[in-house]
Amino acid sequence: MWAVNASGCRWLGAGGALAVTAGGYAAGALPVLGGDPLWTPRATGPQTAGAVLAALGLTLLVLAWWRYGVLLARGAAGIAGGALGTLAAWAGPLLLAPPLHSADVYSYVAQGAMVLEGHDVYGAGPSVLGPGDLGADAAASVGGNWTDTPAPYGPAFLLLAEAAVRLTGGSVVPAVLLLRLLAVGSVALIVWAVRGFGRGDGALWLAALNPLLLVHVVGGVHNDGLTAGLMLAGVLLAVRGRWVWGSVLVGCAVMVKTPAAVALLFIGVLVARRAGGGARGIAKGLVLPGAVAGAVAAGASLLAGTGFGWLGTQSVAGAIHTPLSLTSDLGLALGTLLADDPGPVKAVVQRLGLLAAAALIAALAWRAYRGRTDSVLALGFSLLALVALSPMVQPWYPLWGTVAVAAVAWHSRAGQVLAVLSAALVYETQPSGHTPWYGFAAAGLVLALGAVWLRRERWPSARAPLPEKAPARNGARLEP
C-alpha cells in the first residue's frame, strides 16, 4: 500500500500544483495580446516542455488528493483538522498562474468591457471590440467559438466583470488576476457552506480540495465556482430555516449562471415540508422561493443596465458542440445516419434530453418532499442529471452537483463515483484549453482504473445525511 501520510499528501500536492503553475507559463491559455512580460506565448519546444511538466504536476496533485481522501475515509490517525491547511498549500501556487485549461476568462474581461462601453452584451459577442477599444486585448484572446457569441451569463456576474475592467483599465493580466481573487472568494464560500453541513474534512476533500475545482476555478477562473458557492450557501441557510435569505443567495447564483435555479425547487421542498405539507404547503414551496429569487433577478437586471436580454441567450451555448454532451453526440450521430442535415435531428435529441432531465429532477424533488431522500443530496443528483443530459457539457460542469453531494454524503458510494469522475475529467483539457484526443484517452484510462478501485474498495457508510425537521403544523412560521 502506498505509504504517504497526511503531511506527505499536503506537500506532494503542493509540489504538483507548483509544477502545474510553472508549466502553465509556457503551455497555459496565454493571451494573444497584452500578456507581456508575464504571459507571453512561447515557441513550440517550450510549450511542449511546459505541457509535460504541467501534466506531471497534475498527476502528482491527483495522486495526493486521492491518497488524502482514502486516509480520511479510513479515519487515519492525525488526519482530522488539516483540510484547510492542505487547501491553502494546493491552491496557493495557482494564484499567480496564467489562465489554465480554458480561455473563458478572456471572454469575461471582454464582456465586462462591453458593458462598460455600452455595447449590448446579450446581442453581440466580444468581436465588437476593435483595436484600441477597452478590452480589445482580451477580446483577441477569446476562443474562436465564442468570439461572436452573446454572453450566456447573468447580469450580476457581468457587473463584477465590469468592475474588474474599470479597476484595471482593461489590462489583461491585472483584470484576470482580479477575477481570480473573485474565484478564490467563491472557493472560500464553498468551504463555509460545506463546513456548515457538518460533514468535516471529508466533505471539504471532495468539494474544495478536488483537483477539478482547483484547476478550473482557481486556475481557470471559471465563474462556476461562484455559482456553486452562492447556491450551496443559500441552500444551507434554507436548511437552517432562513429560506428567504437562502432564496436571495440562490437568486444571485442564478444571476451568474441560470442552472442554479434548480436549487429553488429544493428550497421549495424545505418550505413545503415545514409548512405542514398538503396543497397549501406545496403551493408555498413552489411560489415563495421563486418569487424572492425573481425579485433578485429583476433588481440585478435593472441595476446592471443590461436589461433582461440574458433570458434570450441561455440556449446559445447549445449551438456549440462539445464532445462530453451525450445528447449532442447521439443527436449528431443519428442525424448523420438519418438525414442530409443532422441539425434538426440533433436539436430534437437535445430537447428530449432536457425533458428527461426535467423529469428526473421532478422525481427527485418528490422523493425529497416525501422524506425518502435528503433534499441537499437530491439537489446534487438533480444538477448532475441536468449536466449529463444537457446539450453542452464542459468538464467542470459536474462541480455544480458534486459540491452538494459532498456536503452531505461524501462518504457514500455516490461520493466515491464522483471522486473517480473528477479525477478523470481533470485530464480532458490541456493547460492551453485545447481538447486533443489524448486528453480523452487519459480521462478514459483514469476512469478504467477508478472502476477497478470502486470494485475493490467500498468505504464504510458514514453518518446518514442530515435529518430534516419534521413538517410543521399548518400555519407554521416560514420567515427566517
Side-chain angles (χ1 to χ4, degrees):
M1 177 59 66
W2 182 31
V4 176
N5 61 17
S7 178
C9 289
R10 176 179 297 178
W11 298 115
L12 183 65
L18 186 61
V20 169
T21 297
Y25 274 88
L30 299 166
V32 174
L33 299 173
D36 294 329
L38 290 175
W39 301 345
T40 303
R42 313 294 179 182
T44 301
Q47 282 184 20
T48 302
V52 171
L53 177 62
L56 292 174
L58 181 61
T59 300
L60 288 179
L61 179 60
V62 170
L63 289 173
W65 174 68
W66 199 267
R67 176 62 178 170
Y68 193 68
V70 170
L71 291 173
L72 285 167
R74 294 175 179 173
I79 191 69
L84 292 180
T86 301
L87 176 60
W90 293 359
L94 299 171
L95 295 182
L96 294 178
L100 298 173
H101 292 265
S102 173
D104 282 4
V105 68
Y106 302 124
S107 293
Y108 302 165
V109 176
Q111 288 158 0
M114 289 173 65
V115 174
L116 188 59
E117 295 199 337
H119 293 287
D120 181 7
V121 75
Y122 294 125
S127 62
V128 301
L129 298 173
D133 287 346
L134 192 66
D137 287 351
S141 301
V142 174
N145 287 333
W146 302 102
T147 300
D148 298 308
T149 302
Y153 312 118
F157 180 72
L158 293 178
L159 275 177
L160 295 172
E162 178 193 8
V165 172
R166 188 187 298 274
L167 290 171
T168 61
S171 298
V172 171
V173 175
V176 169
L177 292 178
L178 192 55
L179 288 173
R180 177 167 282 143
L181 288 180
L182 178 64
V184 171
S186 73
V187 175
L189 186 57
I190 289 171
V191 169
W192 176 82
V194 167
R195 293 185 76 187
F197 284 100
R199 289 297 186 267
D201 283 1
L204 290 179
W205 168 77
L206 182 56
L209 276 75
N210 193 324
L212 192 63
L213 182 137
L214 293 174
V215 166
H216 285 293
V217 174
V218 180
V221 203
H222 282 116
N223 58 14
D224 300 79
L226 183 59
T227 304
L230 288 168
M231 178 189 67
L232 193 61
V235 172
L236 174 62
L237 291 181
V239 167
R240 291 176 172 178
R242 302 173 66 86
W243 69 268
V244 173
W245 286 111
S247 299
V248 168
L249 286 186
V250 173
C252 292
V254 173
M255 290 295 91
V256 178
K257 277 195 165 182
T258 53
V262 174
L264 293 171
L265 179 60
F266 291 91
I267 290 180
V269 167
L270 295 171
V271 171
R273 285 171 58 82
R274 287 172 180 156
R280 184 180 179 185
I282 291 174
K284 287 181 177 180
L286 290 175
V287 173
L288 294 180
V292 173
V296 171
S301 299
L302 295 173
L303 179 63
T306 56
F308 294 86
W310 57 274
L311 292 169
T313 63
Q314 297 309 301
S315 62
V316 296
I320 298 173
H321 188 91
T322 54
L324 291 178
S325 170
L326 299 178
T327 57
S328 294
D329 291 341
L330 178 60
L332 182 61
L334 290 176
T336 301
L337 289 173
L338 301 177
D340 294 330
D341 180 9
V345 177
K346 178 181 175 182
V348 169
V349 175
Q350 288 175 332
R351 292 191 190 99
L352 290 174
L354 290 175
L355 287 174
L360 286 171
I361 292 169
L364 285 164
W366 180 251
R367 286 184 60 85
Y369 172 72
R370 301 287 291 179
R372 296 173 182 168
T373 304
D374 176 79
S375 293
V376 182
L377 184 60
L379 168 62
F381 289 157
S382 295
L383 290 166
L384 292 169
L386 178 62
V387 170
L389 295 169
S390 287
M392 179 182 178
V393 180
Q394 297 287 13
W396 52 91
Y397 284 5
L399 288 171
W400 306 342
T402 298
V403 296
V405 173
V408 295
W410 75 274
H411 213 298
S412 67
R413 195 63 168 170
Q416 284 185 274
V417 171
L418 288 174
V420 171
L421 183 64
S422 297
L425 288 175
V426 80
Y427 286 98
E428 194 258 342
T429 55
Q430 297 302 295
S432 63
H434 297 125
T435 54
W437 66 267
Y438 50 83
F440 291 95
L445 176 61
V446 174
L447 279 178
L449 293 173
V452 172
W453 174 77
L454 284 170
R455 291 191 63 180
R456 291 182 176 180
E457 179 161 341
R458 180 182 292 273
W459 288 343
S461 296
R463 191 157 49 98
L466 289 174
E468 295 171 7
K469 294 180 181 178
R473 296 180 181 272
N474 288 334
R477 190 167 180 258
L478 295 178
E479 293 302 319

